Amino acid sequence: MATINNNYLKLKAGYLFPEIARRVNTYAQANPDAPIIRLGIGDVTEPLPEACRTAMTQAIEDMGDRDKFKGYGPEQGYAWLREAIATHDFQARGCAIDASEIFISDGSKCDCGNILDIFGHDNTIAVTDPVYPVYVDTNVMAGNTGDANDKGEYAGLVYLPITAENDFTAQIPSHKVDLIYLCFPNNPTGATATRAHLQAWVDYAKTHGSIIFFDAAYEAFITDPSLPHSIYEIDGARDCAIEFRSFSKNAGFTGTRCALTVVPKTLTAKAADGSDVELWQLWNRRQSTKFNGVSYIVQRGAEAVYSETGKAQVKALIGFYMENAQIIRNQLTAAGLQVYGGTNAPYVWVKTPNGLSSWDFFDKLLMNCHVVGTPGSGFGAAGEGYFRISAFNSRVNVEEAMKRITAQFQVG
């Protein structure tokens, strides 16, 4: 009889967002007239920028012309998109990243999990707590952990708490770890990392031969000019870091799927015989074998993000969501709630009032306010007692949601 990958049985009962969907659907079925506003999952709501739509429309026309038709594209992505990314996202910020080191994909979520394909099972892995669940669950699936304890922490992972007590910074371990997941601006807390903090991580990684997986999916929301947008703005990062980015949140590509991963050609790790192996070669081989590339139409849309018109439209889109975040921060703060994030990130991290657990607060918001957020405990043990609210929604919905929440919860 065929057998299964038993590591899947270690996973907690439900991935966070499907569990939220299950609870919301159950409530909605029992209360079909409830006007539910969803500020939970980080999905965007506003239309794609016009520049991207125009480019995609033209690309569709290209597909109807024998001379311009595109079949299988390069697994690494079309050169014209990779060059635009290298020029505008990295070289413009002083990062020595070449277009050949950029790989186009259908999502940074996918890449954050797939990157494990090129690493061994004997690495010590560090994650922040709270953490984007994909980092943990994909390591569980890959067999890199033991079982979870009562708090949901998996044996074999090193957890780095980020809380209000340490200003939501990831404390560098006192011992050696091999693979390090960092996400800044942070999902879920909305915290950011200074140049000095990232420099300390890069120095640590270079000292110990570690690799940093740097998730920069929300870099476009940084408004503070002193904060780095890429880890490659940090000296030495080319020798110890892989960066993941996405078009999902800055340009609204959640439904069209386009992202990128940067693997510098100077980046190496050890083979079993102790020799150094270039990770770029391994990732290129992995993508060429398991991935057929992002569609020509979508890549043309992503390329338009870097046109002058596209830049202006994306900037306006980001500004809209950040205004939503400011409304959420201001309204909840005025109600007496402890609020973090939301200034350089589209997420607001809220301390649950009156000692409520994260899931109890979720249930109260759903049932009493008809508003959906994300329980902090779903991101890890250190997230208990916190709650994530997303700024990704219409202005009308955000204002109405804050009106309902502040009417229900007045602290102090």
Side-chain angles (χ1 to χ4, degrees):
M1 180 178 290
T3 61
I4 64 166
N5 178 352
N6 255 41
N7 293 304
Y8 278 67
L9 302 183
K10 299 176 188 175
L11 293 167
K12 289 179 286 186
Y15 177 56
L16 173 60
F17 299 111
E19 173 60 18
I20 290 173
R22 186 193 67 79
R23 293 192 184 205
V24 173
N25 290 339
T26 298
Y27 181 79
Q29 289 171 7
N31 302 272
D33 296 327
I36 296 174
I37 297 175
R38 301 170 190 266
L39 299 177
I41 191 169
D43 195 4
V44 296
T45 58
E46 302 309 294
L48 285 173
E50 183 180 1
C52 299
R53 301 197 310 269
T54 299
M56 289 178 175
T57 299
Q58 180 57 56
I60 292 172
E61 293 300 318
D62 291 348
M63 298 298 276
D65 184 327
R66 179 177 293 276
D67 294 331
K68 297 179 180 179
F69 173 81
K70 297 291 187 295
Y72 289 124
E75 293 90 350
Q76 301 81 4
Y78 286 100
W80 34 262
L81 176 56
R82 298 161 79 192
E83 288 164 1
I85 292 167
T87 298
H88 295 279
D89 285 342
F90 295 102
Q91 294 164 10
R93 293 190 174 277
C95 305
I97 296 298
D98 185 76
S100 65
E101 298 172 312
I102 296 169
F103 294 80
I104 306 302
S105 77
D106 58 352
S108 58
K109 173 182 178 180
C110 306
D111 285 356
C112 285
N114 292 334
I115 198 70
L116 294 174
D117 283 3
I118 67 172
F119 288 93
H121 295 289
D122 54 352
N123 290 301
T124 302
I125 300 162
V127 297
T128 58
D129 181 10
V131 64
Y132 181 42
V134 171
Y135 308 156
V136 172
D137 286 1
T138 52
N139 273 286
V140 175
M141 294 171 178
N144 294 337
T145 75
D147 294 323
N149 61 20
D150 292 340
K151 295 193 295 182
E153 297 171 333
Y154 285 93
L157 295 182
V158 175
Y159 288 87
L160 310 173
I162 51 175
T163 64
E165 287 69 32
N166 63 12
D167 199 26
F168 298 102
T169 57
Q171 184 174 351
I172 295 175
S174 57
H175 56 287
K176 179 181 181 294
V177 296
D178 302 303
L179 303 178
I180 305 155
Y181 289 83
L182 296 179
C183 174
F184 291 106
N186 184 253
N187 178 13
T189 68
T192 53
T194 63
R195 292 181 185 276
H197 186 59
L198 288 185
Q199 186 68 67
W201 270 111
V202 167
D203 292 345
Y204 170 90
K206 292 188 68 174
T207 297
H208 294 286
S210 310
I211 301 294
I212 297 171
F213 296 153
F214 191 74
D215 187 347
Y218 300 95
E219 61 80 25
F221 294 87
I222 293 174
T223 56
D224 184 340
S226 72
L227 295 174
H229 287 243
S230 169
I231 198 165
Y232 301 120
E233 295 179 51
I234 308 303
D235 290 341
R238 278 187 56 89
D239 300 322
C240 65
I242 294 172
E243 182 164 305
F244 306 94
R245 289 200 180 196
S246 174
F247 290 91
S248 285
K249 308 302 167 64
N250 64 333
F253 275 50
T254 56
T256 47
R257 312 305 303 147
C258 195
L260 62 114
T261 292
V262 182
V263 184
K265 291 182 178 179
T266 51
L267 191 58
T268 64
K270 294 292 184 182
D273 63 4
S275 62
D276 291 326
V277 177
E278 293 181 4
L279 293 178
W280 183 93
Q281 293 182 356
L282 299 185
W283 185 243
N284 187 56
R285 183 69 167 87
R286 190 268 173 205
Q287 292 298 83
S288 298
T289 301
K290 290 190 173 185
F291 186 56
N292 265 342
V294 175
S295 82
Y296 168 74
I297 297 166
V298 170
Q299 289 193 61
R300 280 300 187 193
E303 180 192 30
V305 166
Y306 301 102
S307 67
E308 290 306 311
T309 302
K311 287 179 182 178
Q313 291 170 356
V314 168
K315 182 179 180 180
L317 192 58
I318 292 168
F320 173 82
Y321 288 127
M322 289 309 296
E323 287 173 6
N324 280 352
Q326 192 63 43
I327 291 170
I328 295 169
R329 276 185 59 89
N330 290 346
Q331 291 293 315
L332 296 184
T333 300
L337 294 168
Q338 295 181 44
V339 178
Y340 307 92
T343 53
N344 292 287
Y347 296 124
V348 177
W349 191 240
V350 184
K351 181 69 176 174
T352 57
N354 307 319
L356 289 171
S357 73
S358 296
W359 279 107
D360 284 345
F361 189 57
F362 172 90
D363 290 336
K364 283 187 176 293
L365 281 188
L366 176 60
M367 296 176 187
N368 298 341
C369 306
H370 307 315
V371 173
V372 178
T374 311
S377 60
F379 296 101
E384 178 54 72
Y386 291 94
F387 199 79
R388 192 190 79 175
I389 296 179
S390 169
F392 293 120
N393 214 305
S394 69
R395 183 62 45 78
V396 170
N397 279 349
V398 166
E399 291 177 341
E400 175 61 24
M402 292 306 102
K403 180 179 178 180
R404 296 179 194 176
I405 293 174
T406 55
Q408 183 71 32
F409 295 96
Q410 289 288 336
V411 180

